[in-house]
Amino acid sequence: MNRPAALWLALGWGGFALLPWYGVEDGFWSLAWLFDYPAGADAAPALLQILLFGRWWLAPMVLPLAAPLLVLRRPRTDPLFSRVLLAAGAVGAVFFLGQGFLIGIGGWEYATLEGLFGPLGDRQFGMGYGALSVAAAFLFLFAQGLAARGAINGDGFVVGSIALVIALVAAFIFFPVVRILASAFQDNDYNFVPYLFVEKLFSHDIWGVGCLTANVNCGIAWNSLLMAILVAASTTVLGLAFALLATRTGFRAKRLLRLLSVLPIITPPFVIGLAIILLFGASGTVTQAIETITGTTPGRYIYGLPGIWLAQTLAFTPIAFLVLIGVVEGVSPSMEEASQTLRAGNWRTFTTVSLPLMRPGLANAFLVGFIESLADFGNPLVLGGNFDVLSTSIFFAIVGAQNDQGRAAVLAIILLAFTLTAFWAQHRWLGHKSYATVTGKGDAGLHVPLPRRVVWLAYGSALPWAGLTAVIYCMIMFGGFVELWGRDHSLTLRHYMDAFSITTGTGGLVWSGAAWNSFWTTIYISLISAPLTAAVGLLTAYLLIRQKFAGQQAFEFGTMLSFAIPGTVIGVGYILAFNVPPIELTGTGIILVICFIFRNMPVGVRAGIAAMTQIDKSLDEASLTLGASSFATVRKVVLPLLRPAVIAALVFSFVRAMTAISAVIFLVSANYDMATSYIIGRVENGDYGLSIAYSSVLIVVMVVVILLIQLVVGERRIGRREDMNVAFGAGGAVG
Amino acid sequence: MNIEGQAAAVRFDGVSKHYGAVVAVDRISFEVQAGDLVTLLGPSGCGKTTTLRLIAGLEMPTSGSVFIGGDDVSRLPASARDVSMVFQSYALFPHMTVFENVSYGLSVSGITKAEIRDRAEDGLKLVGLSGYGERLPSELSGGQQQRVAVARALVLEPTVLLFDEPLSNLDAKLRRQVREEIRELQQSLALTTVYVTHDQEEALAVSDRIIVMRNAEIAQEGAPTELYEAPRDLFVADFIGDANVLDAEMLSRDGGHATIRVGGGMELRLPHRELPVGPVKIAVRPEAVILETSKDESGFTGTVLKSTYVGSHVEYTLDTGLGEIFVADYRFDAPVPAGSRVRIAFRERGVTLLEKQT
Ligand SMILES: Nc1ncnc2c1ncn2[C@@H]1O[C@H](COP(=O)(O)OP(=O)(O)OP(=O)(O)O)[C@@H](O)[C@H]1O
Ligand SMILES: [Mg+2]
C-alpha cells in the first residue's frame, strides 16, 4: 500500500466524516462543541451535514474522496495510480472551492445558479477544521499524483511542499490583494459600481495640488511621495556617512555603530515618534527650552511633515547603513590604487572612482528608504497632525467615521502601485547584478584614505545624528519613570505600576496592570508565529535553492511579494477577505498569526537562501542516494547545517511580530489586543507616560528573548558561524 | 559479518536528458553486467555526470527507461533506488562524526542499533579506518575522507555503486594508490560499479569495460584492450592514447584481414572491420612507429622536425608525405637530432583501420 497517499486520504476522510465541517463557536480547542457533537448543526461533520441538514452541496466531494481508495494498493509506478490521484485532487479542489465560494451569506452568490438549482434556503458559514483537513487532503493527493508521475524526481515531499506554499501564498497573499482590487469597484453593499472607482481614484484629496498656489493641503498621494523622497534622501546620505565612518576612518567606536544599527530592529517604529513628541511636542523639553529662551510659544510645529521626516529618518537610517556598509566595503582597493597611480589625488579618486562604484548601492539604499517611508504607519499616525499620508488615510477610511471600504481599497491600490514600482525598479536595476567589485581574487590593496573634506562631512553629519539617536533612546528608557513629561519631572514608578502591577487577590495572583492582557497576547502570538514563520520561510528557501521546477521564477516572485506590500494594505486586504465566510477569521488570534507568517516569511526566505547557497548541494544528494527521503534529508542534514539561519529567522519573526503595527491595527480585537496597538491607543489619548514605559519593557523583553533563542538553538557543531549582522541586514523590510 | 554486493545489472534503454534546450544525454543505451566495473569516459561536458545521476535517480530521464536489476526505475526517486554514490567532493556531512556518516544510510533504513554499529564498524575496517569513528570529517586527510565516503556507500550493500570522479581531489601519488584500493575492493566484493572519469589512464587501469562518450552520445563501448587496439574512429583513437590518422588504401580483402597500402609502398595486414576495398583511414599509435636512420631512401620516409627527450622515451614530430606524424620511441639508443632523414615503419599491433572515416 502507498503510505503517504493512504495517510492523506485518511486525513481527508477524517475531516469529512469526523471533524466539525464548519467553524465552531468558542474555537475548536475549547472543545465546547463536543456537547453538540455529532448531530448538532454547528458541530456536525460534513457527512452528517449532508444526511441530517440537507446540505447536499457538500455531497459531490464524496466522489474524489472515494476514488483513490481503489488504487491505493497499486504500485506508484502504475500510471493508473497517478492518474486517479491527480483527478481526485483536482476534482476535489473544484468541488471544495465551489461549495465555498458559490454560496455566500445570502445563499447563492450568482443569480444563474439560483435559477438553475432554485433558492438555497441556507447560507454559508465559516469553514472549520473538517473543511481544512479535506482541503489539505485534496492538495496533497494531487501532489502525490504528480510525484508518482516523476515530477521533481518523483519526490512526494518536495512536490507536496511546493503545492503547500503555493496554496498558502494564494490564500493569504493573493486572495486578500484580489479582494482589495475587487472592492475598489464596489460600494459598501458589495454592488458593482465602476464609476465610483474612477471617482475615488481621481479624487481631489488624493491628487490635488492646491498647496502649490494656495494655503491648503496637497493631495495625500503627493504628501506620501514627497515624504518618501525626503526620507530616502536623508537616510541615504546619513547611512553613507555612517558607513564611511565605520569602514574608512580611524573612528574608534565602530562596535557602537554596529549596535546602533541593530536598535531599530527591536524598536517598534512609532516609539521613535513618541520620543520625538517628548522632545519637541507642545510640552516637550526642547520646545520648553525655546520658550524660555525666546519667550515665544512655538506650538505644534513638530506635527506634520517635519516630525514624520525626523522620526522616519531616525528609524530608517540604520537600514541604509546596513545596505551601504557592504557597498562601501565592496569597492575594491585596487581600483582606487589604480586611480592613484594614474596621478589622481584623493579627492578626484573619491569623486571619480569610489563614488561612481557605489552608485548602484546608493540607489538601492534610496529605494529601500523610499519603500520603508511609504509603508510606515506608526510615525505618521503619532506625528502626522493635519499632514495626511496614504498609510494612515487607509486606516481612517476603514475605522473612522467614513467607514468607506471602497476608498480604503483605492488608497491601498495607489500605495501598492507606488511600492511595487519601487520594488520592481530595485530588482530591475540591482536585483541580480553584483555591484560590489569583490573579485574573488585576494585583494591585498589598501583603501585610499578619504579626502579630508569627506571625512569632516561624515563626522559632521553622523556624530550629531548618533547623539540625537542616543538621546532618543534615553528618552525611551527613562521617560517612563517621570510623572508627567514637560510638567512634573518628579521620578515615579506609577506608569509601570499602572501597566504591570500584580496584586494578590482571592484566587492567588491577579495580573491587575492595564497592559498585561495585551502583553501576554503579544508574547503568545509572537511565540506561536515565530517558528511557523521560520518553517515556511526556510522551506520556501529550500525549494528555491535546492529544487528545480517549472515556474520557479513566478514562485519566487509570489513568495517575496509580501515584502513589497505595505502592512496597511495587507491589513485592509485581510479585513476584506477574511471577515466573511467561507474563511472567517477576523477577531481570532489565528488571523494575527497568519498575518505575521506571511508578512515576515520573506525574512526567513532570505536568511535561508543566504545560508543554503553556502552548503554544497552534493550533501543533500549524498543523503538521498543513501536512502534517506528528502524529508529526512532536510531534518538530518540541511536543518542542522542551517542553524544560524534558523536562529536569524526565529529571532526576526519574533521581533517583527512584537513590533508590527501597520497590519496588526486592523486585525486586533477585544480578545486579542496586541501591545503595539494598545500603546498607539494610549498615545492617541495623550497618555505618554504609560506608553513609553510599556515600550521600554517591550524592548527589554525582546533583547531577553533574542538571547534565549540564541542559547536554546545553540551553535553549529562544525564551528563556522555566519555574522549575525549579515542576517539582520537581510531583513530590511516594510513596516 | 561480511559485506557482499548483491550483484545485478544496470540497463539504459534509449535514455535522453534535456535541460531546457541543452541535450545533456542523447538517446543512449548500454548495459552493465553484474559484478563489472564500467567506466564512463569522455571530455568535459559530454554527459558523464548526467548519466551517473540518471542511474542514481538524482535526475529523471526526459525519455527512455532506466532498469536496475531488471526493474524499471525510471520514475523512482533516489531514496527508493538500491544505489549508492560516492561524490567528487565526497559530500561528507560536516556536522556528523565519521561513524555517524558511515551509519547514516543504515540508520534511515530502520535497522537495529546493534546491527548498525556492527556494519558501520565493518565498513570502516574494510577501508582501513577503524578507530577513526569519533573524528569529524574536517579532522581527516583528503585520502581518508575519500575512504570514508566509500565506506558510507558500501555499508548499504547497494546493487550498484557509483563513483563520480572520485580521485580528482587527490594528488597524483595518492590517486594511483586509492584507485588500486577501489579496484581491489570492487573485485573482492564483486560489486557492480559505474565509475566516471575523464582520465583515460585511470579508466584503462580500473575498468572491466569502458564507455567512451562524446557530445551526449556513446562513441564506443568495449573492454580496455579493445578500445585501445581497435578504436572505431578518430575521436576514440585520439581520446584513448594518442593517434596519428593517415590516409591509406585497401587493396584487397581475404578472410578477416585486408591488405592496406600506406604511402611509400609500405603494406600492412590488418583486420578489415567490414570495410570495402578502396580509400581508408588508419590510426597509428605513436609508439608503433619505428624509425631507421639508414642512408636507404626507399620506402616510407620523412624528416625529423622536432626531437624532445622526456626521460622514459623520446618524442619526435616527423614531416612525411602524408602529413605530420607524432612518434614516441621507447627503445632508443641515442635521440635522432632534428633535421635528420629517417625511414619509417609501423608495428602492426599499434595500427588499426578506422570504421568511421571522419
Ligand atoms: N542542471 C543543468 N542545467 C543545464 N545544463 C546542464 C545541467 N547539468 C549539466 N548540464 C549540461 O549538460 C551537459 C553535460 O553535463 P555533465 O555534467 O554530464 O558533463 P560531464 O561529462 O560530467 O563533464 P565534466 O567532465 O566536466 O564533469 C553539459 O553541457 C552541461 O552544461
Ligand atoms: Mg562531471
Side-chain angles (χ1 to χ4, degrees), chain A residues 28-329:
Chain A
F28 181 82
W29 300 107
S30 74
L31 298 184
W33 52 274
L34 281 174
F35 295 112
D36 210 15
Y37 187 80
D42 276 347
L47 204 57
L48 294 182
Q49 297 281 7
I50 301 166
L51 298 177
L52 299 180
F53 303 101
R55 296 192 163 126
W56 54 266
W57 47 92
L58 300 176
M61 282 181 285
V62 173
L63 210 66
L65 279 172
L69 289 172
L70 304 175
V71 295
L72 271 188
R73 293 196 166 279
R74 289 179 177 267
R76 54 174 274 158
T77 42
D78 185 340
L80 191 66
F81 176 79
S82 63
R83 240 176 274 149
V84 169
L85 253 53
L86 282 175
V91 171
V94 168
F95 286 156
F96 182 86
L97 294 175
Q99 64 84 25
F101 286 96
L102 297 183
I103 298 171
I105 32 179
W108 290 113
E109 281 278 355
Y110 302 94
T112 30
L113 288 168
E114 180 130 11
L116 211 60
F117 294 103
L120 195 66
D122 202 344
R123 53 160 285 189
Q124 185 66 270
F125 298 95
M127 294 199 271
Y129 278 90
L132 182 67
S133 309
V134 171
F138 287 141
L139 184 72
F140 289 114
L141 285 174
F142 188 79
Q144 287 294 329
L146 275 180
R149 283 176 50 134
I152 327 276
N153 291 357
D155 197 314
F157 169 71
V158 176
V159 180
S161 303
I162 294 172
L164 177 68
V165 173
I166 290 177
L168 288 176
V169 167
F172 296 113
I173 297 178
F174 283 100
F175 177 52
V177 171
V178 168
R179 283 309 290 257
I180 295 179
L181 296 181
S183 56
F185 292 90
Q186 290 170 338
D187 63 15
N188 266 359
D189 302 318
Y190 301 103
N191 299 312
F192 180 69
V193 198
Y195 76 87
L196 257 183
F197 170 71
V198 178
E199 195 181 296
K200 281 172 178 158
L201 181 61
F202 297 107
S203 121
H204 187 72
D205 69 332
I206 300 181
W207 299 103
V209 289
C211 58
L212 295 182
T213 50
N215 190 17
V216 291
N217 279 329
C218 260
I220 309 167
W222 297 124
N223 284 350
S224 276
L225 278 180
L226 174 69
M227 177 66 65
I229 290 171
L230 287 175
V231 169
S234 57
T235 53
T236 306
V237 169
L238 284 167
L240 181 64
F242 277 109
L244 288 173
L245 211 61
T247 56
R248 295 294 189 86
T249 65
F251 186 61
R252 295 282 165 73
K254 284 178 188 168
R255 295 188 68 90
L256 212 66
L257 280 186
R258 285 272 176 186
L259 180 72
L260 220 59
S261 67
V262 180
L263 278 178
I265 293 162
I266 55 171
T267 313
F270 58 86
V271 173
I272 306 261
L274 193 51
I276 284 178
I277 292 180
L278 297 191
L279 278 177
F280 303 102
S283 56
T285 317
V286 174
T287 314
Q288 289 189 341
I290 297 176
E291 241 177 75
T292 33
I293 294 167
T294 63
T296 56
T297 315
R300 296 168 53 84
Y301 63 96
I302 197 68
Y303 292 91
L305 182 76
I308 309 178
W309 187 10
L310 184 61
Q312 291 190 343
T313 306
L314 276 163
F316 305 139
T317 293
I319 297 174
F321 168 70
L322 283 174
V323 171
L324 286 170
I325 195 161
V327 177
V328 171
E329 276 176 342

Side-chain angles (χ1 to χ4, degrees), chain A residues 76-77 148-150 153-155 616 618-619 621-629 632-633 636-637 640-641 717-718, chain B residues 53 57-60 75 77-79 83-85 87 89 91-97 100 104-105 107-108 136 152 156:
Chain A
R76 54 174 274 158
T77 42
R149 283 176 50 134
N153 291 357
D155 197 314
D616 193 353
S618 63
L619 291 178
E621 294 180 339
S623 171
L624 290 177
T625 60
L626 290 168
S629 66
T633 302
K636 294 188 161 192
V637 176
L641 292 173
R717 217 173 125 192
I718 47 172
Chain B
R53 292 167 60 84
L58 294 171
E59 306 285 352
M60 294 280 139
R75 302 278 157 227
S79 51
V83 170
S84 302
M85 181 153 167
F87 289 78
S89 58
L92 297 178
F93 305 127
H95 58 302
M96 299 182 192
T97 62
E100 284 167 339
Y104 182 84
S107 66
V108 293
L136 286 176
R152 184 175 69 177
L156 287 176

Side-chain angles (χ1 to χ4, degrees), chain A residues 32 148 171 313 323-324 346 352 362 386 395 421 430 535 585 648 685 692:
Chain A
T313 306
V323 171
L324 286 170
N346 284 357
T352 58
L362 292 172
N386 294 325
F395 178 65
T421 309
L430 321 157
L585 293 173
N685 289 339
I692 207 96

Side-chain angles (χ1 to χ4, degrees), chain A residues 30 32 38 202 296 307 317 412 423-424 608 614 643 682 704:
Chain A
S30 74
F202 297 107
T296 56
T317 293
F423 194 66
W424 175 80
Q614 292 177 355
R643 225 167 240 179
R682 285 307 184 102
V704 170

